[in-house]
Structure formats: structure tokens, C-alpha cells
Amino acid sequence: MGREIIRESSPKEPEKQSRLWFHEDVVNVLTDHTGTKAIEGLTLKLQRSCRVCFSTKAFEKMKGLRLLQLDQVQLDGDYGYLPKHMRWVYWQRFPLKYIPGNFYLRNIIAMDFRDSNLKLVQKEHQVMESLKILNLSHSKYLINTPDFSKLPKLEKLILKDCPSLTEVHQSIGDLSNIRHINLKDCTNLRNLPRTFYKLKSLITLIISGCSKIDKLKEDIVQMESLTTLIAKNTAVKEVPFSIVRLKSIGYISLCGYEGSSCDVFPSLIWSWMSPAMNPLTSTHPFGGMPSSLVSLYVHCKNSGHLPSAFGNLSKLQSVWVQCYSQYQLTQDFRRFLDELQDVMVTELEASPALQISNHSLRSFLLGMGSYTLTFNKLSNLISQGLTDSGFSDIFLPGDNYPCWLTYTSEGHSMNVLLVS
């Protein structure tokens, strides 16, 4: 109905209409070069078999054009004739290998060049100071991303199914407004630059199908706004330990784990501590460490907020950590304990913000064996923090207990509830 209202305003002179949608009208205006400054939006879709090529000069008088939507359209001539005030350019199957330098892009907010022939975005990089959305999906020949320092306001980057893409420009770390990045099925992309992990505003990251990306760095903890991480069918073998410290993370699909963080993190932490007893895990981050070395019991239900040490795990009921002195701790496991210790220390020192009550941490049972540094720090802080909060359901075997009271036998662990 809206299209008919516009068309009826000037049925015999389509060049005077503010929007051109109808195929015949658009072809006539571009062929006869009758465009006017009244035209604000123009849409044209051609069939693949169509060999028509229009001149860029046909756009010279369209000074008011803000929306340009083309599909399978070829333009010949000086791209400087294209209007300089366009805000949204959708050009499916863009025919050139790079965007000409005289194509004025400074005012464009959304650029959608999906299924393009682009090999490079630009040879001569001009600053696209207004660009917020860039979609180059299904561009089979694209080998590099643009220099992101020229796209300071970019919020959404979609490079889905760009099989020739081998590199993400390191300037991506300078994007302070980016919220969404989709690199799905970029099968030749081998890694993400270190600067990538500086994206504090990023909410959604999709790298599924990037079969050559084999690692996510521990620096992922810097991505403090990350809510959704989807990384199916990659070569990543290990989940970064620091991921459980991301307070904002809500949905994860990585290394065979999929779902909300409050459902994934318990299984994930259990796999780190006792990999042989977790049917979901396909990785063994602690190498050949015996499954009896560590026992961690985590029970959570309902929803809520919990310390960042366990991400979004809600209403943690009990944590039981035991290390046995007859085994030599591997370097990876020591690193995990150090990180757990650092987070717990930070959270417990800020006990007012933690708001320990019957609605959060219910009980803590630790037996740290010979790892005395961790045990002493944790036991002192937990004992003081929870006692000051009125908790009595705490069991903290200290240095005055002989070592034989800690569980030291091999084999499966067993929970024993002592009632006084």
C-alpha cells in the first residue's frame, strides 16, 4: 500500500517519486539518466542471466539518495558520481575486487556487500566515520578484513562464510563500540589476534566452523561484556580456565559443552578436576593426572548471582576440594588452583559486596593436603568471612589436624556427612 501511495504521487514521471521500487521504473530512470534530487531510495534486483550494465553517471543528479539497494547490478564509470549522502548501501554480488577509492563512504551507516567478489575491501583506506554495520558474508574471495582504525564507530561485523579469509586485522582491538562479531565458517582463519581480546564492549562472538582456530587465549577474561560465545566445530581442544571468571557470560557452545553458563560451568569445572568421571568432556587439561587426585563436588539449582570465581553458577550449595600429598601437582593444575585462590581471595576480601547469606554460599569443606599456601590463605579468609556472617555449617581442617585425617587413599571419593 505504501509503495502504491508513492507511485500514484507521480505515476508518469517516476523520477519525481521519493522512492523507486518497481523494476520497470528503476530501469527507465537509470537507462535514460533522468534521476532527480527527489529520489531518496532506489531498489533494483536483476536476474543472474541479465547482462545489462548501467553508467554511474545515471546517479549524478540524485543528490538526495540515502538508500541504495542493488542485487546483481553492474555499474560502469566513475564511482565519484554516486551520491555522497547515502546512509545505507546494500549491494549483493558487488562485482569488483575492491571498492574504488572515489566511492564516497564517509556518511554510510550500514554497508551490506554479501556474496560479493571483493578480495580487499579497499586499496586506499578512507575513514568511514559513520559506519556501524558491515556485512561481507559469503564473499568467497575476501582474504583480509579492513583496517578497523578507519571504522571507529563499528558495532556489528558479519563475515560469515568467507572461506578465503586468513587474517583479522590487529586494529580490531581498537573498536570501542563493537557488540557483535560473526566469523562463522571462515575455514581458513587460523587465529584471532591478541588485540581481539581487548574488546570490552563485545556481547556476541560466533566462530563456529572456523576449523583451523585451535586456541582461545586466557585473555578472554578481558572481554567483560561477552554474553554469548558460540564456537562449534573448531579445532579448540581446551576451554580457557579464565572463562569461568566472566561475570556476563550467559550462553556457551564450546568443546562439546552447550547451554547456559549456569548449566555448563558445573560440568566444565568437574571435568578440570576429575576428567575421567565426566562423560561430556573430550579434553584432559591436566594431562595424565590420576582422576583420584582431586575431588570437587558442586551442587547448584535455581538461578541468581554468585561470585565471579564460578561465573553465573547460582546459589552454590557446597564446594569440596581435596588435594592429596602423594601425587605431584602438574603445572596446569597448580595454575588452576592459583587462579581459584586469587578469585576466592578477591571475593572474600570484599565480603560486603558478596552478601553471604542463606541465599548464597551454604557450606565449604576443604582439605588441601600439602598445598599449604593455598590452604592457609583460603581457610583463614573463608573462616573469618563466613564466621562473621553467622555461618556455622563450615568445616575447615587446619594445620592442627594431622595429615592422616585428610582423605589420601586412591580410588573413588566418598562424601561423608558428620552430624553433631
Side-chain angles (χ1 to χ4, degrees), residues 95-349:
L96 304 182
K97 292 183 179 179
Y98 59 89
I99 299 174
N102 56 355
F103 188 168
Y104 192 85
L105 304 172
R106 291 180 180 272
N107 293 316
I108 294 177
I109 293 177
M111 180 185 295
D112 192 329
F113 279 21
R114 66 186 74 183
D115 292 292
S116 73
N117 286 328
L118 288 173
K119 190 173 182 180
L120 302 172
V121 179
Q122 291 179 293
K123 277 189 174 180
E124 301 175 3
H125 296 285
Q126 59 176 298
V127 177
M128 290 183 268
E129 53 197 24
S130 300
L131 192 67
K132 294 184 177 181
I133 301 172
L134 178 61
N135 189 344
L136 302 176
S137 296
H138 314 294
S139 296
K140 305 295 184 183
Y141 310 106
L142 186 70
I143 58 175
N144 290 313
T145 64
D147 181 347
F148 294 104
S149 65
K150 310 296 183 182
L151 316 177
K153 294 185 179 179
L154 192 65
E155 295 181 4
K156 192 171 186 178
L157 176 64
I158 307 174
L159 299 176
K160 180 180 177 181
D161 185 28
C162 294
S164 298
L165 183 68
T166 58
E167 181 182 5
V168 174
H169 198 280
Q170 62 181 3
S171 61
I172 195 169
D174 298 329
L175 296 176
S176 58
N177 299 307
I178 193 74
R179 298 168 64 85
H180 179 102
I181 295 179
N182 188 343
L183 299 170
K184 182 179 180 182
D185 294 330
C186 292
T187 51
N188 269 308
L189 185 63
R190 292 184 176 275
N191 56 63
L192 301 174
R194 193 89 186 208
T195 55
F196 192 93
Y197 299 96
K198 295 181 180 180
L199 298 176
K200 295 184 181 299
S201 62
L202 187 65
I203 294 175
T204 300
L205 173 60
I206 303 173
I207 56 172
S208 294
C210 296
S211 54
K212 292 187 178 179
I213 293 181
D214 59 4
K215 188 173 183 179
L216 290 177
K217 299 184 184 300
E218 296 292 335
D219 294 345
I220 197 171
V221 73
Q222 299 177 39
M223 306 173 77
E224 56 191 34
S225 298
L226 190 65
T227 300
T228 302
L229 173 61
I230 303 178
K232 295 180 181 178
N233 303 320
T234 66
V236 177
K237 295 282 198 282
E238 297 180 3
V239 180
F241 296 141
S242 62
I243 200 170
V244 298
R245 300 179 67 180
L246 283 171
K247 296 181 181 181
S248 60
I249 195 74
Y251 182 86
I252 299 174
S253 177
L254 178 65
C255 293
Y257 299 91
E258 184 171 0
S260 62
S261 59
C262 63
D263 294 328
V264 168
F265 281 169
S267 297
L268 183 59
I269 296 173
W270 178 262
S271 74
W272 289 338
M273 307 298 282
S274 185
M277 299 186 69
N278 183 4
L280 292 177
T281 185
S282 58
T283 63
H284 299 276
F286 305 119
M289 184 177 67
S291 62
S292 60
L293 173 61
V294 178
S295 173
L296 169 68
Y297 170 71
V298 178
H299 177 66
C300 67
K301 59 183 178 180
N302 301 327
S303 61
H305 184 71
L306 208 69
S308 60
F310 298 97
N312 285 340
L313 286 183
S314 57
K315 296 185 180 178
L316 192 65
Q317 298 295 314
S318 62
V319 175
W320 175 18
V321 182
Q322 293 178 323
C323 300
Y324 310 130
S325 57
Q326 69 265 42
Y327 294 115
Q328 181 179 359
L329 296 176
T330 66
Q331 183 177 358
D332 282 339
F333 185 64
R334 283 182 180 275
R335 182 158 58 91
F336 175 76
L337 284 181
D338 287 338
E339 181 162 328
L340 179 62
Q341 166 194 308
D342 291 342
V343 178
M344 296 289 300
V345 167
T346 301
E347 295 291 348
L348 288 169
E349 284 178 338

Side-chain angles (χ1 to χ4, degrees), residues 387-404:
T387 301
D388 292 345
S389 300
F391 275 80
S392 58
D393 187 19
I394 306 165
F395 304 91
L396 294 170
D399 289 341
N400 57 328
Y401 286 82
C403 62
W404 53 265

